[in-house]
Amino acid sequence: MAQVLDPPKAAGPVSDPVTPAQRVARRKALLHWIAVHSLGVAAALFFVLPFVFLVLTSLMSDQQTLTRDLWPHPFEWANYKKVFDTPGFLTWWRNTLLYAGLGTVLTVVSSLPVAYALAKFRFRGRHLSLMLVISMMMLPPQVVVIPMYLFWAKQLDLSGTLWPLIIPMAFGDAFSIFLLRQFLLTIPDEYLDAAKVDGCGELRTLLRVVVPMAKPGIAAVALFQFFYAWNDYFGPQIYASENPGAWTLSYGLESFKGAHHTDWNLTMAATVLVMAPVIVVFFFAQKAFVEGVTLTGVKG
């Protein structure tokens, strides 16, 4: 007797494994992602567009800068050559490199041993010394500018030069000492003890162990000091204003702007040339800079 087979049942709709609550959560996550990235793009444009406008204006002709045009036609690359041909501009570059470069080296070399002592040595008055460093950070430079000027200009006769700004960096900087001290606290003492067991003295331990491990912190301090010296306007105005041969880019740019107050393309080109080295340095050193700044707050 033939077996009667039941007719196949129609396949029903497959149930959605995603619950309504999960769909709502995914929608919220997507909206959050869009909102965060939209704010990031808006913030990036807020900071980038002025610089783009600066560069585009520097490549325009004299007549085009007075119009509503936003795109150069044609590109006037000769504007940068005109800026370099301005009398004194290369001298300002040389003075700024001397001030920023030598000042940065002196600051790092003089601040690192002090920070190492405050971070790793145990001596009477250590906390008082740290409080003095922090107090110096809170002291505005304008408070001591008159006695310092009288000392450097009247006693040592160094007015009209940048040496009153460079020489003090050989005696340490309060902010650099504090930042390096915070970073050195993150280095375990076991590494230092192991070096001393191997026969290293304090100086050799600092050079062979601490410095290689503190490279991010040193890079952060060096960049902070370099940017400060490169953009410093107050110091050169006080000590070097009477001697155009000792002007820096930040102070010389003010004179350049006064001489070319109607040539906006040349003024913008000079501004780009002043900003470019700082941007290039930060672009190549931003990883060490961010790492050094981040790790300084691990211990207190």
Side-chain angles (χ1 to χ4, degrees):
M1 186 174 180
Q3 185 178 2
V4 179
L5 299 176
D6 295 335
K9 296 180 180 180
V14 179
S15 59
D16 189 358
V18 181
T19 63
Q22 291 176 328
R23 284 197 294 270
V24 172
R26 290 182 179 179
R27 191 178 297 112
K28 287 183 178 180
L30 178 61
L31 293 176
H32 180 267
W33 184 89
I34 293 175
V36 170
H37 285 76
S38 298
L39 290 175
V41 171
L45 291 176
F46 179 79
F47 288 102
V48 171
L49 286 180
F51 181 74
V52 173
F53 175 78
L54 184 72
V55 174
L56 292 178
T57 306
S58 69
L59 295 173
M60 294 181 181
S61 61
D62 296 339
Q63 295 76 16
Q64 190 180 359
T65 56
L66 303 177
T67 65
R68 296 183 179 180
D69 294 339
L70 297 178
W71 191 260
H73 52 79
F75 285 84
E76 297 287 345
W77 296 102
N79 290 338
Y80 290 95
K81 184 178 183 302
K82 293 179 182 177
V83 173
F84 271 111
D85 291 339
T86 301
F89 192 83
L90 291 179
T91 302
W92 304 341
W93 259 85
R94 184 182 68 248
N95 295 336
T96 306
L97 287 175
L98 174 66
Y99 177 28
L102 183 58
T104 299
V105 173
L106 292 176
T107 299
V108 173
V109 172
S110 60
S111 300
L112 184 59
V114 180
Y116 175 62
L118 292 175
K120 297 301 180 182
F121 289 3
R122 299 294 181 265
F123 57 91
R124 182 178 299 177
R126 181 168 64 98
H127 296 291
L128 178 60
S129 301
L130 180 60
M131 290 300 103
L132 290 176
V133 171
I134 297 176
S135 300
M136 292 299 297
M137 290 173 54
M138 294 187 238
L139 186 66
Q142 291 80 6
V143 175
V144 297
V145 65
I146 295 179
M148 292 298 294
Y149 178 80
L150 293 176
F151 173 75
W152 291 109
K154 302 302 182 181
Q155 300 298 325
L156 300 182
D157 195 22
L158 290 177
S159 61
T161 68
L162 294 175
W163 293 113
L165 301 174
I166 297 175
I167 294 176
M169 296 182 185
F171 300 94
D173 174 70
F175 176 75
S176 302
I177 292 172
F178 179 77
L179 196 66
L180 284 171
R181 183 254 181 190
Q182 294 300 107
F183 186 90
L184 295 181
L185 288 175
T186 64
I187 298 178
D189 294 337
E190 288 75 10
Y191 291 101
L192 309 183
D193 295 337
K196 294 175 182 177
V197 169
D198 290 339
C200 293
E202 295 294 349
L203 180 59
R204 191 175 179 185
T205 301
L206 174 63
L207 297 178
R208 296 293 183 88
V209 179
V210 176
V211 170
M213 299 182 68
K215 284 182 179 179
I218 295 175
V221 168
L223 286 176
F224 272 125
Q225 185 61 38
F226 183 84
F227 294 160
Y228 166 78
W230 189 272
N231 298 314
D232 185 21
Y233 178 84
F234 181 74
Q237 182 187 30
I238 296 297
Y239 293 104
S241 59
E242 62 189 56
N243 180 18
W247 287 1
T248 59
L249 284 172
S250 58
Y251 189 75
L253 183 62
E254 184 68 23
S255 174
F256 183 92
K257 185 175 66 174
H260 300 82
H261 60 279
T262 58
D263 301 327
W264 290 107
N265 54 343
L266 298 182
T267 302
M268 297 299 182
T271 305
V272 171
L273 291 175
V274 173
M275 296 171 55
V278 176
I279 296 174
V280 171
V281 170
F282 182 78
F283 178 79
F284 286 102
Q286 60 179 328
K287 182 178 179 180
F289 176 76
V290 173
E291 183 181 356
V293 173
T294 302
L295 294 179
T296 52
V298 176
K299 287 187 178 181

